[in-house]
Amino acid sequence: MITLEDWALIRRLAAEGVPKARIAARLGISRTTVIKAVKSDSPPRYERSPGPTSFTEYEPHVRALLADVPDMPATVLAERVGWTGSIRWFSENVKRLRPEHRPVDPADRIVWAAGDAAQCDLWFPPRKIPLEDGSTKLMPVLVITAADSRFITARMIPTRKTEDLLLGSWELIQQLGRVPRRLIWDNETGIGRGQRRAEGVAAFMGTLATKLVLLPPNDPESKGLVERRNGWFETSFVPGRTFTSPADFNAQFTDWLTRANARVVRTIKASPLDRLDADRAAMLPLPPIPLHLGWRNKIRLGRDYYVRLDTNDYSVDPHVIGRMIDVTADLERVRIRLEGRIVAEHERVWARGMTITDPAHVEAAAGLRKQFQQPRAVAAVGACDDLARDLSDYDRAFGLADLSDVEEIG
């Protein structure tokens, strides 16, 4: 068999009009080999005839075990069949055989009814966002896509924790103006996994009167709408853009989504904006009561007049040291209250491990410290003369004087 280089040379010389006999003489090969090389559609390739390997004698036993338990780990299979060779080589062969023994799980074509569902997901844009401390970080973007109309709402949020996921979900649902009858999630830890719901999620869904659907593993078709849009964002929104902050990202993304929702979607032959009214008409109304969402904590303010929210510390008016205060936060602001009265308010910081200080709180703390360190004045003796007690009161209390004598004395 000729080499790949000889095959390429033969075809080039033949294309230049060099006679086949001369090519054969130049390369020292037969003219028949030259003719075959010129007529071939693909380069020469050495193919080794399959033969038995060290795995061959174990293969029937492995197949029998996989027929009963298709997901049995390769290490367990190796132990069951008595394999003593390389576990890597054994695992590669098991990986080749396993798909043949897994049951088939066909996916039906899903049809979405108006108002029925919205698919929720987190998208991580491939651009690091500058934060308050000068660092850059990949930040999560919460995306909700109405399944029937394909209308998209989305915004960047500080964390993947439950508090921020619910705050972001409520903001995006308010943008829709109505509540989809089902919210479909793919086992996000901050929402829930399997039968477990994260704290506060059940109350949130109950207030909205909607149903939370947590998809089982290996079911990508049920959330394909929102995942395809995540890929679309990376090819249509991100290229060529720069972002100076999360707020800048949200401003640019919101503006782009306004135009994106007006584009015609090939599968529904209409724009999401045109179909939104019909989709929204079949949804549930927004709850008539305000939702109490976000970060909430009740603590006693210590001498270090700071409170921690997530990983950041925020200063508080030191005049309330030792008092019970309520700490709340949404996606934008952190507020500290004493008996309903705001005693500190800060813009929420998205960076990690920062200390946010109000200069007025530092000034107040310095004044209180100076006042505490000053010696207290001692009251004059004469000022307490009016506090002297009649000694007969003690005689009467301890039974040392006759009551009639006391009355006469009085």
Side-chain angles (χ1 to χ4, degrees):
M1 176 179 290
I2 60 175
T3 65
L4 179 62
E5 290 78 9
D6 289 342
W7 175 82
L9 179 59
I10 291 170
R11 293 178 65 84
R12 180 174 64 80
L13 293 175
E16 293 174 356
V18 179
K20 296 179 178 61
R22 186 178 301 176
I23 296 174
R26 177 178 173 177
L27 298 179
I29 57 178
S30 68
R31 186 169 177 270
T32 303
T33 302
V34 173
I35 294 173
K36 290 181 178 180
V38 172
K39 292 183 177 180
S40 63
D41 297 328
S42 60
R45 183 177 56 185
Y46 173 73
E47 294 182 358
R48 181 179 179 180
S49 57
T53 66
S54 57
F55 183 77
T56 302
E57 62 176 298
Y58 295 93
E59 183 170 332
H61 304 290
V62 172
R63 287 184 177 275
L65 291 171
L66 289 176
D68 295 332
V69 186
D71 295 323
M72 184 179 294
T75 53
V76 178
L77 286 167
E79 181 182 356
R80 296 285 178 85
V81 301
W83 174 263
T84 57
S86 167
I87 189 61
R88 182 175 180 180
W89 168 244
F90 185 85
S91 299
E92 290 176 358
N93 282 277
V94 171
K95 184 178 180 180
R96 172 177 57 84
L97 298 179
R98 199 184 297 277
E100 302 176 17
H101 298 276
R102 280 190 171 137
V104 177
D105 181 19
D108 292 331
R109 180 66 59 88
I110 301 176
V111 179
W112 302 101
D116 174 53
Q119 297 182 9
C120 311
D121 197 20
L122 287 180
W123 167 53
F124 286 84
R127 289 283 190 280
K128 290 188 175 182
I129 307 298
L131 300 178
E132 296 86 352
D133 61 350
S135 64
T136 59
K137 184 180 178 182
L138 294 177
M139 302 297 295
V141 176
L142 177 60
V143 183
I144 296 182
T145 301
D148 179 64
S149 64
R150 301 335 193 242
F151 190 84
I152 308 167
T153 57
R155 68 152 295 160
M156 183 171 283
I157 58 177
T159 71
R160 300 173 65 176
K161 295 184 179 179
T162 303
E163 293 85 351
D164 290 330
L165 288 172
L166 296 184
L167 282 168
S169 297
W170 174 233
E171 181 175 322
L172 299 183
I173 288 172
Q174 286 180 299
Q175 292 180 21
L176 278 176
R178 304 274 286 183
V179 182
R181 298 178 182 274
R182 294 187 298 156
L183 294 178
I184 300 176
W185 278 93
D186 189 13
N187 289 300
E188 178 63 33
T189 304
I191 298 296
R193 288 178 179 271
Q195 299 300 319
R196 183 192 66 82
R197 303 292 186 268
E199 185 177 356
V201 172
F204 175 72
M205 298 300 168
T207 305
L208 297 181
T210 189
K211 180 181 180 181
L212 173 63
V213 178
L214 295 178
L215 297 176
N218 304 317
D219 190 16
E221 293 82 9
S222 296
K223 201 164 64 68
L225 292 176
V226 68
E227 291 180 351
R228 283 193 294 272
R229 274 143 188 82
N230 292 349
W232 180 42
F233 300 154
E234 295 189 10
T235 59
S236 298
F237 169 69
V238 173
R241 293 181 183 266
T242 57
F243 310 103
T244 59
S245 66
D248 179 44
F249 178 94
N250 280 331
Q252 293 190 46
F253 198 30
T254 300
D255 179 68
W256 183 84
L257 284 176
T258 301
R259 300 191 301 273
N261 281 320
R263 298 174 182 174
V264 174
V265 178
R266 178 182 56 83
T267 53
I268 60 176
K269 298 180 176 60
S271 70
L273 191 61
D274 292 337
R275 294 186 52 157
L276 180 59
D277 288 341
D279 197 5
R280 191 157 41 192
M283 295 181 183
L284 302 169
L286 294 174
I289 59 175
L291 273 67
H292 298 287
L293 301 173
W295 299 78
R296 296 182 176 276
N297 193 14
K298 189 177 186 70
I299 62 171
R300 189 180 301 277
L301 185 63
R303 290 180 56 203
D304 178 12
Y305 49 94
Y306 285 80
V307 296
R308 176 158 295 182
L309 186 128
D310 197 9
T311 63
N312 298 314
D313 294 334
Y314 299 85
S315 67
V316 184
D317 186 348
H319 288 94
V320 298
I321 288 175
R323 307 284 297 277
M324 296 299 296
I325 57 175
D326 296 297
V327 183
T328 62
D330 54 24
L331 297 175
E332 309 295 340
R333 307 290 295 176
V334 177
R335 298 177 178 87
I336 299 95
R337 293 179 172 86
L338 172 66
E339 298 177 350
R341 175 174 59 90
I342 293 181
V343 293
E345 184 172 1
H346 300 272
E347 183 178 352
R348 184 175 174 187
V349 174
W350 289 28
R352 311 282 289 178
M354 291 190 65
T355 299
I356 299 88
T357 303
D358 187 336
H361 298 160
V362 177
E363 184 178 352
L368 290 173
R369 192 176 301 109
K370 182 177 180 181
Q371 181 182 349
F372 177 81
Q373 292 172 348
Q374 290 178 348
R376 299 182 181 181
V378 180
V381 176
C384 299
D385 290 347
D386 58 338
L387 299 179
R389 190 160 188 170
D390 189 350
L391 294 179
S392 62
D393 291 341
Y394 297 98
D395 294 337
R396 184 167 53 252
F398 291 98
L400 300 178
D402 185 71
L403 293 179
S404 60
D405 295 340
V406 174
E407 289 176 357
E408 291 177 2
I409 293 173

